[in-house]
Amino acid sequence: QKEVEQDPGPLSVPEGAIVSLNCTYSNSAFQYFMWYRQYSRKGPELLMYTYSSGNKEDGRFTAQVDKSSKYISLFIRDSQPSDSATYLCAMRDSSASKIIFGSGTRLSIRP
Amino acid sequence: KAGVTQTPRYLIKTRGQQVTLSCSPISGHRSVSWYQQTPGQGLQFLFEYFSETQRNKGNFPGRFSGRQFSNSRSEMNVSTLELGDSALYLCASSLSPGQETQYFGPGTRLLVL
């Protein structure tokens, strides 16, 4: 079993829809949770990061962490075609600098 | 400020050859991490360097090695290439180890024939 599980998709939604992307994990020591966005032929770019449980909002993006369920989510409101990309969740514990990535979800926003 | 740069961007090699990839971090960043990205395995951590020392290593065979220079630039080397080494190799830099805000380069796409 992988430490971090992420549905690979692809996920296709119409423009303006709310998108929900999720990851589950098995290591209860994970404390830092990140979401990266990767456009085709580019490196990943950091979108959001949260420490421990709770919500964090940044514009149209909201990240949620539920440590009791070992479940993290990224919500995208008012989705745009420019949001079409692969979204990777990532996490690490407080002692290790090694970051564990999910396999990524390919998202397509239809105009 | 210039981003992370990686050279070359594309590379074609044959089995048994060796390859060296280069990464220049963002100015002032002293930590460099390397990742391998494949469709089947996703993003997998290779190793991390800080102050010319390897701080962390992923589960890859000894054919994969790296180093960091005093100017924080880093290289990774893969010897005796195998078909399965075909992947996108990504380098990420951060101010110091363990930071969430690491910045990725565009990657080097390696094809082994």
Side-chain angles (χ1 to χ4, degrees), chain B residues 59-103:
Chain B
N59 297 324
F60 279 82
R63 300 185 296 107
F64 292 82
S65 62
R67 58 177 176 166
Q68 186 180 34
F69 302 95
S70 58
N71 61 358
S72 296
R73 192 177 70 83
S74 177
E75 287 181 349
M76 68 162 281
N77 184 76
V78 188
S79 61
T80 320
L81 283 166
E82 300 177 0
L83 295 179
D85 297 333
S86 294
L88 180 66
Y89 290 89
L90 290 158
C91 159
S93 78
S94 58
L95 285 169
S96 57
Q99 287 206 315
E100 294 68 45
T101 48
Q102 59 177 0
Y103 297 88

Side-chain angles (χ1 to χ4, degrees), chain B residues 1-5 24-27 29 93 103:
Chain B
K1 190 185 270 192
V4 178
T5 58
S24 292
I26 291 172
S27 177
H29 285 194
S93 78
Y103 297 88

Side-chain angles (χ1 to χ4, degrees), chain B residues 8-26:
Chain B
R9 291 293 312 277
Y10 303 93
L11 207 49
I12 299 176
K13 292 284 187 179
T14 56
R15 277 183 299 175
Q17 287 187 307
Q18 75 161 13
V19 66
T20 299
L21 312 180
S22 181
C23 171
S24 292
I26 291 172

Side-chain angles (χ1 to χ4, degrees), chain A residues 78-100:
Chain A
D78 188 26
S79 55
Q80 305 293 311
S82 59
D83 295 328
S84 298
T86 296
Y87 289 80
L88 301 136
C89 63
M91 46 199 81
R92 71 170 181 90
D93 63 38
S94 57
S95 61
S97 57
K98 186 170 67 172
I99 298 177
I100 308 297

